[in-house]
């Protein structure tokens, strides 16, 4: 397994031109899931910015997913002759981000890593992504990103919090594993795309929040599956097989029914629509699902209302929490008896009081 050590006290702000410390953005609405924990018992937060962009915060660590901070009316390039127009604004602007410790990037596409983000992010900010995206991010000459970590399907990286010298048996740790995903359906179009490289390869992710007391000694406390931009393909069936007997607490599902070339000529769907989204819920069977990536661009043809209807018809409404931009979801990462309050938890409290 690969390893990455993060020191939140020295991570700094995410962009090159950040000039002042920013507080963590205040949520419009906070939601919890009663089967996990009451709000006062939670210790982790997922903040929804828009598209597939979220901030995951736990034990002083902040991970930013698929950063896209364009505004309504801005355009993105999605492939040869294919573009999309943003319909919404993000909950916050790029310059309003607080300290970020790492970026989790599902694939190298402008609606997940826009030109503004690419220009402004600090080059040394750790980015965990696909092998294809790594080659793109490291191939920019003097503007190359310098801390890119690639994960292929079912390859894992353990992110550890730097030990500040405190005494604690187990330290907060995050295990990130690449999950399969396909933007283009199997068949002749997929073969053509492999040759033309029009639509980039994409990953899903399994994020396991937990504690470790040494290399390869990891205990999971909360498991999050992020689907990434994928269709309902056979490769996804391997996920419940690999995690048989291991509970998946939360699924973040990329929806929208993205159709290219665009709304005027919807020839090919490249992300899940409502029907496929429900099928994925039934396949993965998480305790809870939160839909994201559902209405931000004009190439999204399956609105959130379609998914809500399909969920209701499938009898799964009690297993879904809906977030609007600027909403947050709070949850509890389970701790074993040997991973109580220690130096890393104290670090989280210290960082919180510094509002960074």
């Amino acid at each position: 397994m690969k390893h990455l050590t993060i020191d939140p006290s020295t991570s700094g702000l995410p962009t090159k031109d950040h000039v002042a410390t920013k507080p963590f953005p205040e949520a419009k609405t906070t939601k919890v899931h009663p089967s996990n924990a009451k709000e006062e018992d939670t210790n982790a937060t997922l903040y929804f910015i828009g598209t597939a962009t979220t901030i995951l915060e736990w034990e002083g660590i902040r991970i930013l997913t698929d950063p896209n901070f364009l505004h309504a009316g801005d355009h993105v390039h999605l492939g040869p002759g294919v573009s999309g127009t943003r319909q919404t604004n993000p909950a916050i602007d790029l310059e309003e981000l607080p300290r970020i410790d790492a970026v989790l990037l599902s694939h190298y596409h402008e609606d997940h890593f826009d030109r503004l983000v690419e220009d402004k992010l600090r080059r040394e900010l750790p980015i965990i992504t696909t092998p294809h995206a790594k080659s793109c991010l490291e191939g920019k000459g003097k503007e190359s990103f310098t801390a890119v970590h690639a994960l292929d399907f079912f390859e894992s990286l353990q992110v550890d919090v730097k030990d500040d010298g405190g005494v604690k048996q187990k330290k907060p740790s995050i295990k990130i594993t690449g999950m399969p995903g396909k933007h283009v359906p199997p068949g002749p179009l997929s073969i053509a795309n492999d040759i033309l490289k029009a639509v980039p390869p994409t990953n899903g992710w399994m994020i396991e929040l937990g504690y470790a007391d040494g290399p390869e000694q990891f205990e999971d406390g909360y498991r999050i599956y992020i689907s990434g931009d994928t269709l309902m393909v056979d490769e996804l069936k391997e996920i419940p097989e690999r995690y048989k007997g291991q509970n998946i607490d939360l699924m973040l599902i990329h929806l929208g029914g993205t159709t290219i070339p665009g709304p005027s000529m919807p020839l090919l769907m490249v992300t899940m629509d409502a029907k496929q989204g429900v099928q994925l819920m039934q396949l993965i069977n998480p305790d809870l699902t939160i839909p994201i990536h559902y209405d931000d661009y004009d190439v999204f043809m399956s609105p959130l209302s379609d998914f809500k209807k399909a969920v209701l018809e499938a009898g799964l409404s009690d297993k879904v929490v809906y977030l609007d931009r600027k909403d947050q979801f709070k949850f509890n990462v389970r701790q074993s008896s040997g991973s109580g309050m220690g130096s890393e938890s104290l670090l989280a409290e210290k960082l919180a009081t510094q509002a960074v």
Side-chain angles (χ1 to χ4, degrees), residues 118-327:
E118 186 162 337
D119 289 343
K120 293 190 174 185
L121 280 187
R122 289 188 297 109
R123 272 22 196 180
E124 66 273 21
L125 182 65
I127 299 176
I128 303 161
T129 190
T130 64
H132 169 265
K134 176 180 168 69
S135 67
C136 295
L137 294 170
E138 291 183 338
K140 299 182 178 298
K142 293 182 179 180
E143 284 298 305
S144 293
F145 289 84
T146 61
V148 187
H149 306 267
L151 293 178
D152 214 334
F153 297 164
F154 300 113
E155 189 175 15
S156 298
L157 171 75
Q158 187 167 309
V159 180
D160 298 308
V161 178
K162 181 177 174 59
D163 188 349
D164 64 355
V167 178
K168 187 178 182 182
Q169 287 184 328
K170 297 183 184 297
K171 304 177 183 66
S173 187
I174 302 175
K175 182 180 177 183
I176 299 174
T177 304
M179 292 290 111
K182 277 193 175 181
H183 237 325
V184 181
L189 286 173
S190 180
I191 296 171
N193 186 63
D194 289 342
I195 297 171
L196 298 173
K197 301 186 185 306
V199 179
T202 184
N203 270 13
W205 306 107
M206 192 69 76
I207 304 174
E208 296 173 89
L209 307 176
Y211 295 86
D213 56 6
E216 317 303 323
Q217 301 297 317
F218 178 82
E219 292 183 5
D220 171 69
Y222 196 89
R223 189 173 285 114
I224 303 171
Y225 167 54
I226 304 179
S227 73
D229 278 13
T230 185
L231 296 168
M232 190 64 189
V233 292
D234 285 343
E235 287 83 347
L236 298 179
K237 295 176 182 177
E238 190 171 348
I239 297 173
E241 289 298 315
R242 287 198 177 232
Y243 289 87
K244 185 177 294 184
Q246 302 178 66
N247 191 59
I248 295 176
D249 298 279
L250 175 64
M251 177 167 70
L252 301 183
I253 186 169
H254 292 204
L255 295 172
T258 308
T259 307
I260 58 176
S264 61
M265 190 168 38
L267 299 179
L268 178 65
M269 190 172 75
V270 295
T271 66
M272 286 180 286
D273 60 6
K275 178 181 178 181
Q276 291 193 10
V278 167
Q279 290 174 347
L280 188 63
M281 286 182 65
Q282 293 167 333
L283 174 68
I284 301 297
N285 192 30
D287 288 348
L288 182 70
T289 293
I290 295 178
I292 58 176
H293 189 276
Y294 50 74
D295 69 352
D296 293 275
Y297 284 90
D298 63 350
V299 291
F300 293 179
M301 305 297 286
S302 180
L304 186 61
S305 57
D306 285 356
F307 182 66
K308 288 181 176 180
K309 180 180 178 183
V311 165
L312 181 63
E313 291 174 349
L316 295 171
S317 296
D318 62 338
K319 302 195 72 175
V320 181
V321 166
Y322 296 99
L323 298 182
D324 196 1
R325 283 161 289 274
K326 209 172 183 179
D327 288 350

Side-chain angles (χ1 to χ4, degrees), residues 27-42:
K28 179 178 62 178
T29 304
T30 296
K31 298 185 179 182
V32 295
H33 193 242
S35 68
N36 176 248
K38 298 178 181 178
E39 184 176 350
E40 58 267 25
D41 297 326
T42 58

Side-chain angles (χ1 to χ4, degrees), residues 69-91:
F69 288 88
L70 298 182
H71 283 236
D74 291 338
H75 300 278
V76 292
H77 173 73
L78 299 175
V82 181
S83 64
T85 302
R86 182 138 188 182
Q87 307 295 297
T88 64
N89 292 323

